[in-house]
Amino acid sequence: MFCDEKTLAQRCAHGDDQARRELYVQYAERLYSLCRRYTDDDGRARDVMHDTFIKAYDKIGRYEYRGSGSLYSWMSRIAICMCMDELRIKKKAHFVDLSENIQEEEPPIDRVKEIPPEKVREFIAKLPPTQKTIFNLHLIDEVPHKEIAKLLGITERASTSLLSKARARLAGMLNNYLKENE
């Protein structure tokens, strides 16, 4: 039996195991997808997702209901922070030389629709680790550059620069795909 977010969070905060199972059923798949964008391994993504639930169960008393979708948003922030911790711990985030000059022409918007979504995800996964992380944080999870800078221990300018480089690389991969599949 599914209940609204506010009630579900309150029940979880009071130690209701059925509510915790319900929370898991409602959000596990979405949180796994989010974690998978930041890790290169399915098993590691599942571990981070499970760790996210453990932390959420522990901290859910601090959650403040702010309207529909706020519980997932709160949990996704926990997951993103845990993914960033994972990147720092594993030292996967290798920063590229900011003087690197990448200039790719953007693919025409109407042609991008011809590329299957799984191909686009594959190309995003091929970005250098830090560029992929910033791309996901800013464009997919809508985290501002100021917060990204804090999470990664870089400047806001570096974050915007790396995002620009990620977009240029991705545009290059998309253009190559379109040329190869004409």
Side-chain angles (χ1 to χ4, degrees), residues 15-53:
D16 182 334
D17 286 335
Q18 179 60 35
R20 289 178 176 183
R21 279 189 289 280
E22 191 174 319
L23 184 71
Y24 186 88
V25 167
Q26 282 190 32
Y27 298 120
E29 189 175 319
R30 287 172 65 193
L31 288 172
Y32 167 76
S33 294
L34 184 147
C35 292
R36 187 64 181 94
R37 286 197 310 262
Y38 294 100
T39 61
D40 293 329
D41 174 80
D42 285 328
R44 196 62 214 133
R46 287 198 189 289
D47 288 346
V48 173
M49 186 254 317
H50 286 120
D51 291 346
T52 297
F53 275 98

Side-chain angles (χ1 to χ4, degrees), residues 97-182:
D97 178 7
L98 294 178
S99 64
E100 181 181 346
N101 188 13
I102 301 170
Q103 293 183 352
E104 293 287 345
E105 191 174 313
E106 294 274 333
I109 297 295
D110 58 328
R111 298 270 338 264
V112 171
K113 294 175 187 171
E114 298 171 23
I115 303 172
E118 62 274 3
K119 261 313 196 197
V120 175
R121 283 190 293 274
E122 180 185 315
F123 294 143
I124 292 169
K126 288 180 180 179
L127 291 170
T130 304
Q131 290 180 15
K132 177 175 70 174
T133 298
I134 292 170
F135 183 91
N136 283 319
L137 283 169
H138 190 71
L139 296 177
I140 296 174
D141 297 315
E142 300 177 347
V143 177
H145 284 292
K146 186 174 188 169
E147 192 173 330
I148 293 170
K150 276 197 271 186
L151 283 169
L152 298 179
I154 60 176
T155 65
E156 283 183 63
R157 186 168 181 232
S159 178
T160 58
S161 175
L162 288 165
L163 177 61
S164 177
K165 291 175 190 322
R167 283 180 162 164
R169 277 185 200 268
L170 185 59
M173 288 186 266
L174 296 174
N175 277 324
N176 287 339
Y177 178 85
L178 289 169
K179 287 176 188 170
E180 291 170 4
N181 291 285
E182 286 186 313

Side-chain angles (χ1 to χ4, degrees), residues 34-93:
L34 184 147
C35 292
R36 187 64 181 94
R37 286 197 310 262
Y38 294 100
T39 61
D40 293 329
D41 174 80
D42 285 328
R44 196 62 214 133
R46 287 198 189 289
D47 288 346
V48 173
M49 186 254 317
H50 286 120
D51 291 346
T52 297
F53 275 98
I54 290 168
K55 189 166 191 170
Y57 294 150
D58 186 48
K59 306 288 184 193
I60 201 150
R62 296 180 184 170
Y63 162 72
E64 292 179 29
Y65 180 76
R66 296 186 178 172
S68 181
S70 66
L71 182 55
Y72 174 75
S73 181
W74 178 77
M75 291 186 68
S76 69
R77 289 290 188 198
I78 293 171
I80 288 169
C81 288
M82 297 200 72
C83 288
M84 294 304 99
D85 288 345
E86 177 71 13
L87 286 170
R88 279 191 290 273
I89 290 167
K90 297 291 183 179
K91 304 218 187 286
K92 288 183 181 177

